[in-house]
């Protein structure tokens, strides 16, 4: 069997939606699936339009587990600011990553999702 | 011609929506297209956030047929629980797989779809 | 520069929506972009859940043109039936293909799109 | 590490939506993430159904920056006309590109997004 995933993932279009007043709240979710027998340590870089990128503290995805990070909430104390952003993930083992957005700026939710762009 | 598909597919973001009260009901659909001359036997592994993965009974997709599995319904008696999950499919012959979600938590449906991440 | 596209494309999840009564009408659109200097001749195979696949008359996409086929309308006299279907496209030159669905079963439209799975 | 992106990207399904009267306005956004240490110069070709392609003035994406181009607004004085169009991007360094559409033809917005098809 192949390496079952990629070590590097890119997400060009991040834009945290307003949460709104009712459930489900507007949010963005980053999903990381680790099908390996070993834990994954993931370095996340956040890119912006008009300033240098930020690097988050390393994130762990357990062996044979999926992990969801809400990018609209603080990640180890770091809050991604409002406005256009992009992500790069570099993992210690091959993983598979997808991002989703739920927008509730109107009475009905709208979905937006894309598998990341894999590299390596 | 090439091998026409992949043997391994990953879907990081599964999350069964509430069915709601009216048609169309909220659901998730896994689509498997088998363009080969031979039947495909597909092993499906379900990953979770906080427990060991589950393996379903082998699923068959006929030669030159498409098959839809509703992941919100029992699959050979196994019901995927509510909450975040992920899928890995390993097929005996190359196939092509996509997942879709129809969410009706509000008066109007919302769609969410992604081609799987192929591997091999 | 590379070959700029693929000769074979797969779309596992086709399902023609009801047109509804108001504009925009529910539909599915298959987009084919031909960036080459030569015309593309595209053979389209339609797969089903429970019967043998159908093959359409060859379709042409002009050199350096994009073409949209509404799969809910007859294609050279052939109407794809209602229900689950899948597509394979085999082109004489490399092209790039995407499918979209616009669903109006409720008062507000819902979108569903995916780049095809390329092969070759 | 690999080359971290592709130099050529294709988007088969462009179709600028009506802006509507309220926020958020209907639009299409092209996102370009440049994770490299060097600036990216991007040549954009616009394809149509029934006429020769148009080539825009070169666009710049700063080193380690993401850039958003609203394709419904003039780009260096060139306005993409209404109707079906497609895009090819050729960059001087590897980048990662995604397109999104926000449609407000009804009271609630609808989203449509896809990672581009990478080539090279």
């Amino acid at each position: 069997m192949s390496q079952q995933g990629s070590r590097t993932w890119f997400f060009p279009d991040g834009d945290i939606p307003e949460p709104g007043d009712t459930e489900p709240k507007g949010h963005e979710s980053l999903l990381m699936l680790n099908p390996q027998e070993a834990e994954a340590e993931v370095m996340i870089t956040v890119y912006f339009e008009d300033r240098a990128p930020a690097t988050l503290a390393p994130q762990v995805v357990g062996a044979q587990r999926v992990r969801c990070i809400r990018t609209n909430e603080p990640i180890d104390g770091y809050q991604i600011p409002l406005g256009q952003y992009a992500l790069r993930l570099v993992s210690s083992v091959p993983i598979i990553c997808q991002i989703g957005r739920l927008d509730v700026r109107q009475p009905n939710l709208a979905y937006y999702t894309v598998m990341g762009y894999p590299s390596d």
Side-chain angles (χ1 to χ4, degrees), chain A residues 19-84:
Chain A
D21 299 321
T22 54
E23 290 295 330
K25 293 287 179 70
H27 65 265
E28 281 187 336
S29 293
L30 172 67
L31 280 303
M32 299 173 290
L33 170 59
N34 176 11
Q36 316 296 338
E37 304 285 334
E39 201 172 82
E41 189 179 77
V42 184
M43 301 298 298
I44 302 180
T45 304
V46 190
Y47 295 91
F48 304 102
E49 292 184 297
D50 52 6
R51 74 200 105 145
T55 303
L56 305 188
Q59 301 295 313
V60 169
V61 186
Q64 299 195 293
R65 295 291 184 276
V66 60
R67 182 171 168 205
C68 174
I69 290 181
R70 290 280 174 106
T71 59
N72 51 300
E73 299 174 355
I75 305 166
D76 289 337
Y78 176 80
Q79 177 61 60
I80 298 178
L82 293 179
Q84 200 73 48

Side-chain angles (χ1 to χ4, degrees), chain A residues 70-119:
Chain A
R70 290 280 174 106
T71 59
N72 51 300
E73 299 174 355
I75 305 166
D76 289 337
Y78 176 80
Q79 177 61 60
I80 298 178
L82 293 179
Q84 200 73 48
Y85 74 94
L87 294 177
R88 181 183 67 181
L89 283 66
V90 180
S91 173
S92 57
V93 299
I95 58 174
I96 302 97
C97 299
Q98 182 179 348
I99 203 163
R101 186 190 304 162
L102 193 156
D103 194 316
V104 293
R105 281 182 283 183
Q106 8 61 16
N108 294 285
L109 72 85
Y111 269 138
Y112 195 82
T113 193
V114 84
M115 194 74 77
Y117 173 80
S119 177

